Amino acid sequence: MAYKSLDSITRSDIEALGISDDVSYKLLRDLDDIIRNHGSSATPPERWIEISRRILHPDLPFSFHQMMYYGCYKDFGPDPPAWLPDPNVASLTNVGGLLERRGREFLGDDYKDPVSSFSKFQEFSVSNPEVYWRTILDELNILFSVPPKCVLDRDRSGDNPGGNWLPGAYLNPARNCLSSSSKRRSDDDVVIRWRNEGSDDLPVNAMTLLELRSQVWLTAHALNALDLVEESAIAIDMPMNVESVIIYLAIVLAGHVVVSIADSFSPREISTRLKISKAKAIFTQDEIIRGDKSIPLYRRVVDAEAPLAIVIPARGSFVRMNLRENDLSWNEFLGNAGKMRGMEYIAVEKPAGACTNILFSSGTTGEPKAIPWTNISPLKSAADAWCHMDVHQGDVVAWPTNLGWMMGPWLVYASLINGACMALYNGSPPGPAFAKFVQDAEVTMLGVIPSIVRTWQNSNSTSGFDWSRIRCFGSTGEASNVDEYLWLMSRAHYKPVIEYCGGTEIGGSFVTGSLLQPQSLAAFSTAAMGCKLFILGEDCNPLVSKFMPPDAEGVGELALWPHVFGASSSLLNGNHYNVYFKGMPTFQGQILRRHGDLFERTSKGYYRAQGRADDTMNLGGIKVGSVEIERVCNSVDDSVLETAAIGVPPPSGGPEQLVIAVVLKSQELTNRDLNLLKKSFNSEIQKKLNPLFKVSSVVTLPSLPRTATNKVMRRVLRQRLTQAGLNSKL
């Protein structure tokens, strides 16, 4: 759709969006007032921020929000900022306050103020890890039973180019989650708020730090009664609820190793992970209740031939099914604590490099990689939240996820170590019940994945709920969409979206955003603190320009500086060096770390995800990422819900042909409609990307195949299309 510039918008344009006569009059009057008062000297971002604050609110049609946004940035060029930091309150953020106190100490005369000096501080975090990480660990009030000898031992002997972090240190991450201090919080502070699906009209449940600590101590004592050997692997296959968080912390507090298994997995997938990790026990739930459906989770665990299972009831206090011999109900398990009930549990302190959690990659192309999180990984998660999402005491953090994926443990550490409260909804997040929970729990930081946002928008799930307490959003899991995230921001009166991209093996993010930088939609504004990024060119070497090494504009596979705090250094079932370092280029004498994502660095310094490097295609000799094409196609027609761009080799050989797989919102399309859609795709792709790109075929699907972590499996689509031929339906 072509949008008018702001000064060309008329009252009839506004009324055409379904806005009443009197409201349209006021909106146009306010718009004219902003244009007149700011004058020609105002930049488009300055006008947009004023419009988003003074004129726009969630009750107005989203089409009017789009009219304002695109009208404001007409002819602006790429990467228009949807949010700007306010210099007057920058010092109230975690990083801003730190820079106000010590910016000149860190940066010398280069320090100006928190906003203009943030990029310099990010560079400082890479070049001075000893000073930076000691500072952050102090800000997080991390407790060591034995302090580290240094932050980073760069000895690269053996197969670990990433060095040795916090050598000599002993700590326990769960102890850090449960401690109280004047710097962090008090025992009476609420640290978990939760609600079960079906109880949406009841008050939100709450648990204080004192209550959480007591429950974790009890569970840890009960674990001791099982007579497991030290550092046993203990699995959790449960929804992300208050019981699973207690169990997770208890396993870590007792010095054992959590094995993370998603509650959506089949018996075969559960079995694979139990065998790889050599788990000695598993915590699970008798069933998962979602609306009128009951999913037999314990039955799956039994079919997986799991070891000793401790079974928590989904409803009530008792398990309503027969258990295997030697398996324990939750009540029986806790009863084993005996006389230790109510007694303090002394945390088992382990070396910084000791394993605390085994997580798994999605495993869509074979056996999943078993990735050990060390005691440092939780500190990386907490530091990311402190630095980039500005999580601190008084915040309420919600992120629909599961302990089977890295964002589950991330949520535990990001909230509790930072003195914040986590908000857990035990139910399905796409519907209005979750939106109501966000309101009722007074969530201040809401994490999302793009597919959930898409569902909220299409179903209008958030309508009528007050999200004004949200200070920022976080987004991860897949590439996001500009219009969908403009809509998301509009639900909370234009609070920023902090994009967050990393991986299980990173313990957090390597590229993200900051509340001290302008944020553009569906883009990353900065490398994560402590991380250095490289875009690899066609020759597989970092793109380097004379004036901007190694941050040259371009598109290519992303590589990382090897020294990443909290990142993996081993795999349980693979050669870590071969997976992440073998065959990678060097820069300034350091071998770079492989990640596998395709990224664009724009002319304005933003990063945009283009999907996995193996999701690239060669169209007429030009490499392009699937996500780049999908961004264009998703906004071509209102009938399109989502698309997947696939490069398919023709049966007779030759250059790849571009096929667009389309999921429609509701109605069926005729062959004539598909041809028109194909023409629209071609027109927009050639106009916005490259005039040489051509859509060969459009096929419709009821849904896109996805991994358990919601990533589109384009490789599967490519195989289907190659085998089936380019029919209009699969």
Side-chain angles (χ1 to χ4, degrees):
M1 177 184 288
Y3 290 95
K4 293 182 176 181
S5 60
L6 291 181
D7 52 10
S8 301
I9 293 173
T10 65
R11 193 166 164 186
S12 60
D13 293 328
I14 299 175
E15 291 174 356
L17 303 177
I19 298 174
S20 65
D21 180 74
D22 56 333
V23 174
S24 65
Y25 171 79
K26 183 180 185 305
L27 291 173
L28 188 61
R29 185 188 64 194
D30 291 344
L31 177 61
D32 289 341
D33 183 56
I34 290 173
I35 294 173
R36 183 172 58 255
N37 288 342
H38 281 72
S40 58
S41 61
T43 65
E46 290 170 340
R47 283 187 177 182
W48 165 246
I49 296 305
E50 193 69 15
I51 290 169
S52 66
R53 289 172 179 168
R54 283 185 51 189
I55 296 180
L56 299 178
H57 57 80
D59 294 333
L60 288 169
F62 179 58
S63 54
F64 180 71
H65 291 252
Q66 291 173 303
M67 176 185 284
M68 293 294 99
Y69 177 77
Y70 288 109
C72 189
Y73 285 119
K74 189 175 181 64
D75 302 323
F76 179 80
D79 303 326
W83 181 86
L84 295 176
D86 184 347
N88 295 320
V89 297
S91 61
L92 300 180
T93 64
N94 291 330
V95 175
L98 174 63
L99 288 176
E100 283 283 82
R101 298 191 306 273
R102 301 181 61 187
R104 193 162 296 279
E105 173 191 340
F106 297 144
L107 304 178
D109 291 340
D110 286 340
Y111 179 72
K112 306 302 179 189
D113 59 75
V115 172
S116 60
S117 299
F118 175 80
S119 294
K120 289 286 186 183
F121 185 51
Q122 197 285 328
E123 294 171 6
F124 175 88
S125 73
V126 176
S127 59
N128 295 272
E130 190 76 27
V131 175
Y132 174 77
W133 284 108
R134 282 193 183 276
T135 300
I136 297 304
L137 295 177
D138 182 61
E139 291 291 328
L140 296 176
N141 201 31
I142 298 301
L143 304 173
F144 295 96
S145 58
V146 179
K149 297 175 182 176
C150 62
V151 167
L152 174 61
D153 178 357
R154 298 175 186 266
D155 179 16
R156 289 179 287 153
S157 59
D159 290 339
N160 183 21
N164 183 20
W165 292 89
L166 305 184
Y170 277 71
L171 72 155
N172 186 295
R175 177 192 172 208
N176 278 276
C177 289
L178 299 172
S179 69
S180 60
S181 70
S182 58
K183 187 173 182 179
R184 184 179 285 152
R185 62 184 162 223
S186 72
D187 281 351
D188 294 329
D189 285 348
V190 172
V191 292
I192 304 179
R193 295 179 183 176
W194 79 94
R195 175 180 282 163
N196 295 323
E197 188 176 77
S199 302
D200 305 309
D201 293 325
L202 297 178
V204 172
N205 299 289
M207 179 177 284
T208 66
L209 177 61
L210 182 64
E211 292 167 335
L212 174 63
R213 188 191 301 123
S214 175
Q215 291 296 311
V216 172
W217 284 352
L218 173 62
T219 306
H221 283 305
L223 276 172
N224 279 4
L226 296 180
D227 290 327
L228 298 170
V229 300
E230 292 182 1
E231 300 189 37
S232 289
I234 303 174
I236 300 177
D237 185 5
M238 294 176 62
M240 184 91 178
N241 54 30
V242 66
E243 289 83 10
S244 64
V245 171
I246 290 169
I247 292 164
Y248 184 96
L249 291 170
I251 294 172
V252 176
L253 192 72
H256 296 300
V257 179
V258 176
V259 179
S260 292
I261 300 178
D263 62 359
S264 60
F265 280 156
S266 68
R268 180 179 178 181
E269 292 169 310
I270 296 170
S271 177
T272 296
R273 287 155 176 79
L274 291 173
K275 289 176 181 176
I276 293 173
S277 63
K278 300 178 181 178
K280 304 304 181 186
I282 183 171
F283 286 87
T284 189
Q285 206 164 271
D286 53 0
E287 58 186 352
I288 300 173
I289 300 171
R290 293 290 180 264
D292 296 331
K293 294 182 179 180
S294 174
I295 303 166
L297 187 57
Y298 175 65
R299 182 73 257 168
R300 290 180 185 171
V301 168
V302 171
D303 291 345
E305 300 180 347
L308 169 68
I310 298 96
V311 186
I312 293 88
R315 286 179 176 167
S317 302
F318 302 97
V319 174
R320 293 180 175 85
M321 60 179 61
N322 293 324
L323 303 183
R324 295 180 306 181
E325 186 178 0
N326 297 325
D327 285 348
L328 299 172
S329 71
W330 182 236
N331 286 338
E332 290 171 328
F333 167 76
L334 293 179
N336 289 340
K339 63 181 181 180
M340 300 305 294
R341 181 182 292 267
M343 301 291 288
E344 179 182 359
Y345 189 95
I346 305 301
V348 176
E349 308 276 339
K350 298 197 298 184
C355 181
T356 186
N357 194 171
I358 299 169
L359 295 110
F360 297 87
S361 65
S362 54
T364 57
T365 58
E367 185 179 72
K369 293 195 296 287
I371 302 168
W373 266 24
T374 69
N375 279 333
I376 305 173
S377 307
L379 308 185
K380 161 67 172 170
S381 298
D384 276 4
W386 188 90
C387 293
H388 296 287
M389 283 83 168
D390 194 44
V391 175
H392 49 60
Q393 185 176 5
D395 273 327
V396 179
V397 184
W399 204 314
T401 184
N402 185 270
L403 286 171
W405 309 114
M406 68 149 281
M407 292 310 296
W410 185 97
L411 176 61
V412 173
Y413 294 120
S415 54
L416 296 183
I417 288 181
N418 282 302
C421 170
M422 77 174 79
L424 305 173
Y425 184 73
N426 188 19
S428 179
F434 177 80
K436 185 176 188 297
F437 172 69
V438 171
Q439 168 192 275
D440 295 349
E442 300 182 342
V443 170
T444 60
M445 187 269 159
L446 176 60
V448 299
I449 58 173
S451 58
I452 288 181
V453 176
R454 187 176 306 121
T455 301
W456 287 341
Q457 183 180 9
N458 290 329
S459 61
N460 202 26
S461 295
T462 65
S463 178
F465 299 113
D466 181 6
W467 283 12
S468 60
R469 288 183 178 270
I470 292 175
R471 295 196 301 115
C472 76
F473 296 95
S475 177
T476 193
E478 57 184 334
S480 52
N481 173 276
V482 169
D483 281 302
E484 289 169 358
Y485 275 40
L486 182 68
W487 175 87
L488 179 66
M489 289 181 67
S490 74
R491 299 306 90 187
H493 303 276
Y494 287 95
K495 302 305 192 303
V497 178
I498 302 299
E499 297 277 358
Y500 191 72
C501 180
T504 304
E505 72 281 4
I506 301 298
S509 171
F510 54 78
V511 64
T512 181
S514 169
L515 296 183
L516 297 178
Q517 291 180 305
Q519 297 303 305
S520 182
L521 292 165
F524 306 85
S525 64
T526 180
M529 300 301 288
C531 294
K532 190 174 184 179
L533 310 180
F534 299 83
I535 303 289
L536 303 184
E538 292 286 341
D539 60 357
C540 293
N541 287 311
L543 295 175
V544 176
S545 69
K546 181 178 179 181
F547 301 104
M548 202 167 47
D551 297 330
E553 175 186 353
V555 178
E557 184 176 346
L558 192 83
L560 309 178
W561 189 247
H563 303 133
V564 181
F565 184 85
S568 64
S569 58
S570 65
L571 296 171
L572 290 189
N573 58 343
N575 186 303
H576 189 272
Y577 182 87
N578 288 349
V579 171
Y580 294 109
F581 292 101
K582 186 177 180 180
M584 289 297 287
T586 60
F587 186 83
Q588 296 179 349
Q590 299 283 346
I591 186 170
L592 301 184
R593 180 174 177 131
R594 179 181 292 109
H595 186 72
D597 281 343
L598 191 73
F599 266 77
E600 172 193 9
R601 189 175 192 276
T602 72
S603 58
K604 294 181 180 176
Y606 288 94
Y607 293 90
R608 292 189 183 275
Q610 304 288 348
R612 296 295 293 174
D614 55 12
D615 284 337
T616 60
M617 62 192 86
N618 190 315
L619 302 178
I622 302 170
K623 282 190 176 182
V624 62
S626 296
V627 173
E628 193 173 1
I629 294 174
E630 290 158 9
R631 279 199 179 104
V632 174
C633 293
N634 286 342
S635 59
V636 161
D637 191 278
D638 288 340
S639 65
V640 174
L641 177 62
E642 59 181 343
T643 62
I646 311 296
V648 180
S652 56
E656 286 182 315
Q657 296 180 340
L658 175 57
V659 179
I660 307 297
V662 181
V663 178
L664 302 171
K665 289 181 179 177
S666 56
Q667 72 272 25
E668 282 285 331
L669 295 184
T670 64
N671 287 335
R672 181 176 179 275
D673 292 331
L674 282 177
N675 285 330
L676 290 174
L677 191 58
K678 176 182 170 181
K679 289 181 180 178
S680 298
F681 284 155
N682 270 320
S683 175
E684 289 300 297
I685 289 171
Q686 290 167 7
K687 181 169 64 176
K688 295 182 177 179
L689 296 180
N690 194 302
L692 300 179
F693 293 168
K694 180 181 179 182
V695 177
S696 174
S697 181
V698 175
V699 299
T700 58
L701 295 172
S703 62
L704 298 179
R706 294 179 181 272
T707 68
T709 52
N710 216 49
K711 293 180 173 64
V712 176
M713 295 190 290
R714 296 179 184 83
R715 186 176 300 166
V716 172
L717 281 176
R718 188 177 295 111
Q719 292 172 347
R720 290 183 189 174
L721 289 164
T722 302
Q723 293 167 2
L726 306 182
N727 298 317
S728 61
K729 293 184 179 180
L730 285 178

